[in-house]
């Protein structure tokens, strides 16, 4: 869930938000600037601003990627202190819900209003309004914060700190620009970065996911990302040094309740001995011999469970920290920039980043106007072979096939993958159905909607856009889960031992979210996030009127019923988030229980069953002698109340111990 920072058009060092004479102008003396939005090397939209003679700014931000995207038209008026005095925006959010937002400051009184939130208050000092609209104004925020001395209150709450952190010279088309990089801390889980010319004019932003740069300056993106990675590496290494505890001669957990996930029971009064990164002994406290010099930690009254496994991650460094804080010690990353992912995995292994073990699934997509952005694409058999070769050479564990891959390439990809001992999971490509993908060699299917589309879509349905969501919302309740077609499909899944990863919380937000309200059951989790992250949960799901809202609520109930039916049919289920790391896996577990699946089975799915799906059950998934020391200490009994899975106290990954409250604090999350 990476937001694109796109609005920033005035200079930090200029005395007022007036355009410079030498910059391009439209008729009437207005300054017009246009930037391109680049998602993983693919132009995906644009950002255009028009600065008027009175200093007001009109902005248009338009992106289409993966069959969806925001379109926002805004007017911004700046005060002399560079904060916003007035703001108005219309358009649509990522999934199509309407943008209709206003902000006004009159003297010391501010008011704001949108479908998601409304408020007013008196302010006596500089404060910068951050809109809900998909026009985050970090690039106006930088000069405002610098003018305020580096730190600035933001509305509706919080504070940001802006600092100069780097300089850089970039070239394109025979031109050279000297840039200054700034970090922004306080808006999200990670610091963010943006770049200005030395004279104070905003240049753009760059990231592995999405960048916004002037037309013709695409070649600057990679050098800027590389410089930012140096900054990120330094911060990551400092956090790893600060928070990791490495027992020199081993560690013994004593007086522990150990969860046997296979039987779904607690084994009381146990000692678990860890030496290096391996579990060396498990047995009754007092009977396990603890070698001289071993550190001993009594965890009487607390539970010791195997490290959790998130089967649908798109891992960032903040996700990685959240995972360890939440007891997630292994993730399966099913879609990421391969260079970023490989670097992150290497640094986690080297101990210079806090994070889980990463199982990498290489993302493969087709090419068309509705395709998702991807560095690795395939439209022909030769390209499909080259894509497999790319990931195999990098030592990936499997591949993920996405929406726009041609159906005729699927059997070629799966056969090549299996010949290389790689696993295959993914979406069901457009013009293909789930049963056909299973027969063509899929080892797993991502997302519960793909199972519904097996019955609700046809080969002519365009499932590359939001149709893959709305078709389920409109018609899910018409599907008889105990009818012959569904039961025959379940039998096919059983025969092929297909692994299903429903990613329920990704759909809860689509079908039952209401603008301005946190979905029921997520209130406590969302309250722990920084304010601007919390606001991201308020935008609602798919656009709908009251009648459709009732229909989609019933569809959500049917989705939960489908998951329970899969469990009852003994289909191999695992848990993935497709969301923020760690905390959202806890919520996914709660949703599985809400669907009617016993907590003991959910805990097994999130540990041993996930390990089996990745052929890692000899290494992780249970607290067993010889396995990797991936463990979680919880203060409570998640067998009795699955919500207690949130009460992590310590996490151990590969023998390294972390205090979880401190890790949450490192990314601005309340323990």
């Amino acid at each position: 869930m990476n937001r694109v920072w796109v609005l920033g058009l005035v200079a930090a060092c200029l005395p007022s938000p007036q355009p410079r004479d030498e910059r391009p102008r439209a008729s009437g003396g207005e300054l017009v600037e246009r930037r391109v939005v680049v998602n993983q090397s693919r132009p995906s939209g644009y950002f255009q601003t028009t600065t008027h003679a009175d200093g007001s700014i009109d902005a248009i931000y338009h992106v289409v990627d993966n069959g969806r995207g925001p379109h926002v038209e805004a007017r911004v008026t700046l005060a002399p202190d560079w904060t916003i005095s007035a703001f108005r925006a219309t358009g649509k959010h990522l999934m199509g819900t309407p943008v209709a937002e206003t902000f006004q400051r009159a003297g010391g009184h501010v008011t704001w209003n949108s479908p998601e939130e409304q408020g007013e208050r008196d302010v006596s000092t500089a404060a910068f309004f951050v809109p809900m609209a998909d026009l985050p104004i970090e690039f106006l925020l930088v000069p405002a914060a610098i003018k305020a001395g580096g730190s600035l209150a933001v509305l509706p709450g919080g504070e940001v700190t802006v600092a100069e952190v780097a300089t850089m010279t970039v070239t394109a088309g025979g031109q050279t620009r000297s840039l200054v990089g700034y970090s922004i801390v306080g808006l999200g889980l990670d610091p963010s970065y943006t770049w200005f010319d030395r004279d104070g004019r905003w240049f753009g932003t760059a990231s592995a996911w999405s960048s916004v740069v002037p037309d013709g300056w695409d070649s600057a993106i990679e050098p800027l990302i590389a410089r930012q990675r140096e900054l990120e590496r330094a911060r990551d290494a400092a956090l790893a040094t600060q928070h990791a505890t490495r027992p020199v001669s081993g560690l013994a957990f004593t007086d522990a309740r150990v969860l046997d996930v296979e039987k779904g029971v607690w084994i009381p009064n146990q000692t678990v001995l860890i030496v290096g990164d391996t579990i060396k002994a498990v047995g009754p406290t007092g009977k396990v011999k603890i070698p001289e010099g071993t550190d001993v930690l009594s965890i009487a009254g607390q539970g010791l469970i195997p490290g959790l496994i998130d089967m649908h991650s798109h891992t960032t460094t903040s996700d990685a920290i959240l995972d360890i804080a939440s007891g997630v010690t292994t993730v399966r990353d099913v879609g990421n920039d391969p260079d970023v992912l490989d670097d992150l995995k290497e640094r986690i292994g080297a101990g210079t980043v806090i994070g889980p073990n990463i199982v990498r699934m290489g993302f493969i997509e087709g090419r068309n106007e509705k395709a998702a952005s991807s560095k690795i694409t395939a439209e022909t058999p030769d390209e499909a072979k080259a894509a497999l070769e790319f990931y195999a050479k990098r030592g990936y564990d499997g591949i993920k096939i996405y929406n726009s891959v041609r159906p005729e390439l699927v059997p070629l990809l799966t056969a090549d993958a299996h010949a290389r001992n790689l696993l295959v999971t993914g979406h069901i490509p457009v013009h293909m159905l789930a049963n056909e993908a299973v027969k063509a060699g899929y080892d797993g299917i991502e997302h519960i909607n793909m199972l519904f589309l097996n019955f609700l879509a046809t080969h002519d349905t365009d499932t590359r856009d939001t149709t893959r969501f709305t078709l389920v919302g409109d018609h899910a309740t018409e599907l008889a889960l105990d009818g012959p077609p569904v039961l025959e499909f379940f039998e096919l899944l059983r025969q092929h031992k297909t692994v299903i990863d429903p990613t329920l919380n990704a759909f809860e937000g689509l079908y039952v979210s209401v603008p301005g309200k946190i979905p029921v059951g997520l209130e406590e989790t969302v309250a722990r996030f920084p304010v601007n992250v919390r606001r991201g949960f308020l935008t609602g799901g798919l656009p709908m009127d009251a009648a459709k809202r009732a229909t989609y609520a019933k569809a959500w109930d049917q989705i939960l019923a489908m998951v329970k039916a899969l469990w009852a049919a003994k289909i191999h289920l695992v848990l993935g988030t497709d969301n923020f790391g760690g905390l959202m896996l806890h919520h996914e577990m709660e949703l599985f229980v809400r669907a009617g699946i016993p907590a003991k089975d959910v805990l097994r799915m999130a540990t041993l069953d996930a390990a089996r799906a990745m052929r890692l059950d000899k290494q992780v998934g249970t607290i067993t002698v010889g396995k990797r020391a991936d463990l979680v200490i919880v203060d409570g009994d998640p067998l009795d109340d699955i919500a207690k899975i949130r009460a992590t106290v310590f996490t151990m990954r590969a023998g390294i111990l972390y205090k979880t409250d401190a890790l949450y604090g490192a990314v601005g999350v309340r323990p």
Side-chain angles (χ1 to χ4, degrees), residues 359-363 391 396-400 417 422-425:
V359 174
R360 295 168 296 166
M361 306 294 283
F363 189 87
Y391 289 120
Y396 274 54
D397 303 279
I399 61 169
K400 178 185 179 182
L422 303 180
L423 294 167
V424 179
T425 192

Side-chain angles (χ1 to χ4, degrees), residues 134-429:
D134 297 285
L135 279 175
I137 309 182
E138 282 86 349
F139 307 116
L140 287 176
L141 179 58
V142 167
I146 291 173
K147 189 172 181 65
S151 296
L152 183 63
V154 292
L155 298 168
E159 182 177 88
V160 298
T161 301
V162 169
E164 179 182 330
V165 292
T167 58
M168 188 84 179
T169 299
V170 294
T171 60
Q175 299 183 53
T176 299
R177 295 173 77 161
S178 296
L179 306 179
V180 179
Y182 293 89
S183 66
I184 306 168
V185 176
L187 284 183
L189 301 172
D190 285 321
S192 57
Y193 301 94
T194 190
W195 296 85
F196 285 74
D197 287 333
R198 284 191 178 276
D199 65 5
R201 293 177 296 178
W202 180 57
F203 176 79
T205 186
S207 78
W209 290 96
S210 185
S211 304
V212 184
V213 294
D215 281 326
W217 286 85
D218 299 35
S219 61
I221 293 174
E222 286 303 322
L224 292 178
I225 291 174
R227 183 67 183 95
Q228 290 169 187
R229 284 177 183 162
E230 293 175 4
L231 301 172
E232 292 164 353
R233 286 189 182 98
R235 176 179 180 271
D236 294 340
L239 289 174
T241 299
Q242 178 183 354
H243 293 286
T245 298
R246 293 175 170 83
V248 176
S249 301
L251 174 66
F253 296 105
T254 63
D255 311 305
R257 286 184 296 115
V258 170
L259 181 62
D260 183 332
V261 294
E262 290 188 276
K263 297 179 180 178
V265 298
W266 292 105
I267 304 175
N269 196 32
Q270 296 288 292
T271 288
V272 178
L273 176 65
I274 311 299
V275 178
D277 64 356
T278 305
I279 300 172
K280 290 296 186 179
V282 181
T285 294
K287 293 187 178 181
V288 172
K289 183 178 180 180
I290 300 176
E292 188 73 23
T294 301
D295 295 329
V296 177
L297 178 61
S298 173
I299 54 172
Q302 297 174 324
L304 192 63
I305 67 175
L308 302 174
I309 300 174
D310 182 350
M311 292 291 282
H312 195 114
S313 174
H314 302 283
T315 320
T316 66
T317 52
S318 59
D319 288 321
I321 293 173
L322 280 174
D323 281 325
I324 296 300
S326 305
V328 178
T329 55
T330 299
V331 300
R332 184 181 63 162
D333 191 297
V334 292
N336 214 321
D337 180 296
D339 298 322
V340 172
L341 184 62
D342 295 354
D343 175 69
L344 182 59
K345 180 178 176 67
E346 181 179 350
R347 289 190 292 134
I348 289 172
T352 58
V353 177
I354 298 168
N357 177 53
I358 300 176
V359 174
R360 295 168 296 166
M361 306 294 283
F363 189 87
I364 301 175
E365 172 66 311
R367 297 189 297 273
N368 57 65
E369 73 283 355
K370 292 185 178 181
S373 297
S374 176
K375 283 187 174 179
I376 306 300
T377 60
E379 287 285 328
T380 67
D382 285 345
E383 289 180 345
K385 182 177 180 180
L388 256 299
E389 184 71 14
F390 175 87
Y391 289 120
K393 282 184 175 180
R394 291 190 175 211
Y396 274 54
D397 303 279
I399 61 169
K400 178 185 179 182
I401 297 172
Y402 210 62
N403 298 328
S404 292
V405 171
R406 297 180 184 276
E408 61 268 24
L409 297 181
V410 171
L412 303 179
L413 286 166
T414 58
D416 196 357
H418 292 154
R420 300 170 187 267
N421 201 33
L422 303 180
L423 294 167
V424 179
T425 192
H427 289 203
I428 308 304

Side-chain angles (χ1 to χ4, degrees), residues 542-586:
L542 294 163
M544 61 185 85
D545 57 20
K548 181 155 286 192
R549 195 172 303 283
T551 299
Y552 279 31
K554 293 178 181 177
W556 172 241
D557 290 339
Q558 185 77 332
I559 286 171
L560 294 178
M562 169 72 89
V563 172
K564 183 178 181 180
L566 289 163
W567 166 76
K570 302 188 184 305
I571 307 299
H572 192 157
L573 287 171
V574 295
L575 285 81
T577 57
D578 197 14
N579 210 310
F580 291 106
L583 291 170
M584 299 309 289
L585 186 65
H586 296 167

